[in-house]
Amino acid sequence: MAQNRFPTGSGPSQRQLRVGELIRRALSDVLNRAEVHDPDLNRHSITVGEVSVSPDLKVATCYVMPLGGGDAQAAIAALARNKGELRHHVAKAMTLKFAPDLRFRIDETFDRLDETRRLFADEKVQRDLAAPDNPDDDAR
């Protein structure tokens, strides 16, 4: 019975996605309004890009990035220092039985986006994209 406790599908469930988005919005509001009384944290303008939640909704991993991308480690350290207070504010904004434990990671989405742009700007890739499709390739 315990082995079937969590779905083994290819991705997160609809509930995980919904709770993650609610946590993201609540955390963004708390950080935007500077409700946490820490000058080190309030000095940073932090973007919450995504929140992924564990299947049991007990752990939420928040992917954050300070505006401009500079001093990301200091922002993560400030968030980690104040995660109890942040958890309290997020729990007040939600109607879950348990407030999830918040974990903070640097959001690397923008770095991957830059790498993708660089790849698409490559001369060889541009040549392949501009080449007409060969109908014989579909027959194989």
Side-chain angles (χ1 to χ4, degrees):
M1 179 92 172
Q3 66 188 4
N4 294 330
R5 184 171 175 192
F6 300 118
T8 58
S10 62
S13 68
Q14 189 67 33
R15 182 167 173 79
Q16 285 174 273
L17 294 172
R18 188 172 60 239
V19 169
E21 181 61 22
L22 290 173
I23 292 171
R24 188 190 71 77
R25 287 182 189 170
L27 190 59
S28 294
D29 289 344
V30 168
L31 293 172
N32 190 28
R33 291 191 301 254
E35 293 180 9
V36 178
H37 304 293
D38 183 0
D40 291 335
L41 183 60
N42 294 334
R43 181 176 46 228
H44 300 283
S45 179
I46 298 175
T47 302
V48 182
E50 180 185 358
V51 176
S52 62
V53 183
S54 65
D56 60 357
L57 305 179
K58 300 263 185 182
V59 178
T61 305
C62 308
Y63 295 94
V64 297
M65 179 62 78
L67 194 62
D71 210 12
Q73 291 299 331
I76 294 288
L79 287 166
R81 258 194 331 270
N82 295 290
K83 80 176 186 176
E85 191 173 353
L86 289 167
R87 181 181 182 188
H88 172 74
H89 286 293
V90 167
K92 274 193 336 188
M94 299 178 59
T95 56
L96 289 176
K97 188 173 185 178
F98 299 103
D101 181 37
L102 300 177
R103 297 180 183 170
F104 299 99
R105 304 285 182 262
I106 296 173
D107 189 3
E108 298 174 345
T109 305
F110 299 111
D111 295 336
R112 284 184 269 154
L113 184 63
D114 289 341
E115 177 64 17
T116 303
R117 284 185 182 146
R118 188 192 66 74
L119 287 172
F120 276 121
D122 186 49
E123 181 180 308
K124 293 177 185 176
V125 174
Q126 287 295 323
R127 186 177 52 228
D128 288 343
L129 290 174
D133 290 337
N134 190 352
D136 293 334
D137 290 342
D138 293 336
R140 290 184 217 174

